[in-house]
Amino acid sequence: METTEYNPHELAATAANSVLSSLGFTYAIRTEESEDGINLFIDSKEAAYLIGDDGDRLDDLQYLINRLVQAQQANAPRVRVDCNLYRTKSEAKLLRRARARAERVLQTGTPLHMEKLNAYQRRLVHQELADIPGIATESEDTESRFKRITISKITEPCE
């Protein structure tokens, strides 16, 4: 059986071009490697239409592009879609809020909660706060797609 080499960056760009050109957007695309897969950056003067309210359309676009890529190559890496750096800025802001809450928890000892987050955002927060000594994070135990993270201070065990 012959194996065909594929370029995941090309698959991601082709999927994005297919969707965006069909919808009539003007845009430029670039991709780059990340530790989690591929980052696909879209630059467009019509970014507000691609991003939507709080990034909801961007999430939908990312889902669709990943489905198209996976249909071409089942083991293709995940594609993270960003438009005019909206997602990059949003994630940086989320992590700043999480670090600020962790610092407040360390000072007061009172646990604090993050707003409801999707699985990807929760993973980012857990990873970000994992290296802060004395801080523990835990996602609430619900069936909901969006869950809160509780940030608490680790108490030293009594000897």
Side-chain angles (χ1 to χ4, degrees):
M1 183 173 184
E2 184 179 316
T3 58
T4 305
E5 284 294 313
Y6 75 98
N7 181 333
H9 292 267
E10 199 173 290
L11 285 176
T14 300
N17 280 320
S18 173
V19 172
L20 296 173
S21 63
S22 296
L23 295 171
F25 286 101
T26 55
Y27 58 91
I29 291 178
R30 69 182 168 82
T31 62
E32 66 182 38
E33 200 72 28
S34 79
E35 61 186 44
D36 293 329
I38 296 171
N39 288 329
L40 185 139
F41 296 97
I42 301 168
D43 291 312
S44 176
K45 290 180 180 176
E46 302 153 315
Y49 298 109
L50 293 171
I51 295 167
D53 296 330
D54 296 323
D56 61 344
R57 286 195 200 132
L58 191 57
D59 290 341
D60 295 340
L61 182 61
Q62 178 172 292
Y63 175 79
L64 183 58
I65 289 171
N66 273 290
R67 291 295 304 239
L68 290 169
V69 168
Q70 300 276 315
Q72 292 294 311
Q73 188 65 42
N75 64 344
R78 293 258 323 138
V79 179
R80 176 184 167 270
V81 178
D82 199 351
C83 184
N84 290 22
L85 298 178
Y86 171 84
R87 192 179 302 276
T88 301
K89 293 172 186 173
S90 177
E91 289 170 5
K93 194 185 302 185
L94 170 66
L95 296 179
R96 280 194 305 272
R97 282 194 314 271
R99 283 191 305 271
R101 288 184 185 166
E103 292 300 321
R104 200 167 337 134
V105 166
L106 285 173
Q107 291 171 357
T108 66
T110 304
L112 293 175
H113 305 283
M114 295 294 296
E115 62 273 18
K116 290 187 176 190
L117 304 170
N118 66 34
Y120 175 74
Q121 293 167 323
R122 289 193 309 273
R123 186 170 63 90
L124 289 176
V125 170
H126 287 301
Q127 288 174 339
E128 182 72 14
L129 302 184
D131 295 333
I132 299 178
I135 288 293
T137 59
E138 183 179 4
S139 292
E140 63 187 350
D141 187 21
T142 69
E143 294 298 317
S144 174
R145 221 178 103 204
F146 295 92
K147 302 177 185 181
R148 293 185 192 278
I149 291 177
T150 300
I151 304 168
S152 55
K153 189 173 182 176
I154 298 172
T155 55
E156 296 298 320
C158 297
E159 291 184 25

